[in-house]
Amino acid sequence: MDTIVRVDSLPVPLADSVGVGPIHEWPGHTGGNVALGCRALGLKVKFLDYIGDDWIGGLVRDRLTAGGVDFETLVSETGTRRAVNLVEKTGRRMSFHDARDPEHLRMPREFYLPHLERARHAHLSITNFTRFLYDDIEALGVPVSTDLHDWDGLSDYHRDFALRSDLVFLSAVGAGERIASVMREILREGRAEAVVATAGAGGSYVMSRDGSRTPRPVPATMPPAPVVDSNGAGDAYVCGFLYGRLAGRDLEACARLGAVAGAHACTGEGGTALIGRDALLAASA
């Protein structure tokens, strides 16, 4: 569950109390957003996750069901994960993520394996329990992608995901000026065929194992309406890119599809502006 708080600027002023506009809550989060976005593009999606037996989990389930996502869950005793996102007028955000899952949490093999055996592609969110699916994914030969978000290239938490995925997404914000070297390290040390770094209004960069070791820039797409909220834009980019990837398009073409989907997502609140397949293809033609 994302709680969206609109503020005048970031960072917020140091004060005991700050007046803001209406506070909204949107169910979904990164895994749910990717599932919903891929489904809106006509892809067949099976989404597996832990949620709590609580009212928040009920809202998450309702939104995914309304979006046509085949959502199968396990109950987390610690409740449904949450995040509070501060969003300024330009759509820029700061997110406070509630990583409440216990360290020992594991997804039972008998729960996920039958779905992996039928999958054409797997996308793993960087929740801790998903890192333990890699052995089975590799044994089955299922292509796998992940989104490292704002990884700085140093944190050990993200390293399994970075080095064991075939396609790696990350935000250029985390590594800053070091982003090119981080992308090269992922290709050199891991199994990735390609790495994609998103840079918001600055577009995105792609680098592949069989290409140049200099990131290739792909320009951003102008949003079709005023920017409201950047929450979910990165997830939408992933959806557009994966749609192109599964359709057999090259990396630059996939990145252009991602840029269109990401720009469209910025025109609605809380990642609710999901682009459809026809609109995606028309805008990227």
Side-chain angles (χ1 to χ4, degrees):
M1 176 69 72
D2 285 334
T3 298
I4 311 298
V5 183
R6 298 202 166 274
V7 297
D8 290 334
S9 62
L10 291 172
V12 296
L14 183 61
D16 188 59
S17 179
V18 177
V20 297
I23 296 173
H24 297 290
E25 292 187 310
W26 303 103
H29 230 296
T30 182
N33 287 341
V34 171
L36 285 162
C38 286
R39 190 70 193 96
L41 291 173
L43 297 174
K44 187 177 181 180
V45 176
K46 181 72 176 186
F47 181 40
L48 308 176
D49 199 3
Y50 277 94
I51 58 173
D53 184 16
D54 48 30
W55 66 274
I56 301 172
L59 292 178
V60 171
R61 187 187 299 277
D62 289 346
R63 184 187 176 198
L64 287 158
T65 299
V69 173
D70 184 359
F71 184 27
E72 194 165 339
T73 66
L74 295 167
V75 174
S76 172
E77 295 180 357
T78 56
T80 303
R81 298 183 298 276
R82 303 195 67 171
V84 175
N85 300 318
L86 306 184
V87 183
E88 68 165 4
K89 294 177 180 178
T90 64
R92 190 168 66 97
R93 68 159 187 175
M94 184 174 185
S95 181
F96 299 85
H97 178 231
D98 168 8
R100 67 175 64 201
D101 291 333
E103 182 70 22
H104 65 267
L105 189 65
R106 300 288 184 273
M107 188 169 277
R109 194 165 183 262
E110 63 271 17
F111 175 72
Y112 68 78
L113 192 58
H115 304 298
L116 274 182
E117 290 172 339
R118 297 193 297 272
R120 183 181 174 195
H121 183 92
H123 181 76
L124 297 187
S125 298
I126 55 172
T127 46
N128 186 58
F129 59 80
T130 62
R131 74 175 71 245
F132 301 99
L133 276 65
Y134 273 110
D135 286 346
D136 282 318
I137 289 172
E138 292 176 8
L140 291 168
V142 178
V144 57
S145 57
T146 193
D147 187 350
L148 307 177
H149 301 283
D150 59 350
W151 188 43
D152 59 5
L154 303 173
S155 169
D156 285 338
Y157 179 90
H158 300 71
R159 195 163 298 277
D160 283 342
F161 298 96
L163 302 185
R164 299 190 71 179
S165 297
D166 301 294
L167 175 61
V168 176
F169 299 91
L170 75 165
S171 168
V173 172
E177 294 180 354
R178 296 172 39 254
I179 187 61
S181 63
V182 171
M183 295 172 76
R184 283 191 286 268
E185 179 186 357
I186 292 171
L187 289 172
R188 183 178 65 251
E189 303 294 334
R191 58 174 290 158
E193 298 174 5
V195 182
V196 183
T198 56
S204 60
Y205 299 88
V206 298
M207 189 183 294
S208 58
R209 181 174 296 278
D210 58 357
S212 169
R213 286 302 187 262
T214 299
R216 304 190 296 276
V218 177
T221 297
M222 183 68 67
V227 172
V228 174
D229 186 357
S230 62
N231 284 294
D235 299 326
Y237 182 103
V238 169
C239 296
F241 195 105
L242 290 180
Y243 177 87
R245 184 78 165 173
L246 292 170
R249 301 198 179 198
D250 62 37
L251 291 178
E252 281 76 8
C254 292
R256 289 192 293 271
L257 290 170
V260 169
H264 190 277
C266 292
T267 64
E269 289 189 297
T272 58
L274 303 177
I275 194 169
R277 176 173 50 197
D278 292 343
L280 177 74
L281 296 177
S284 58

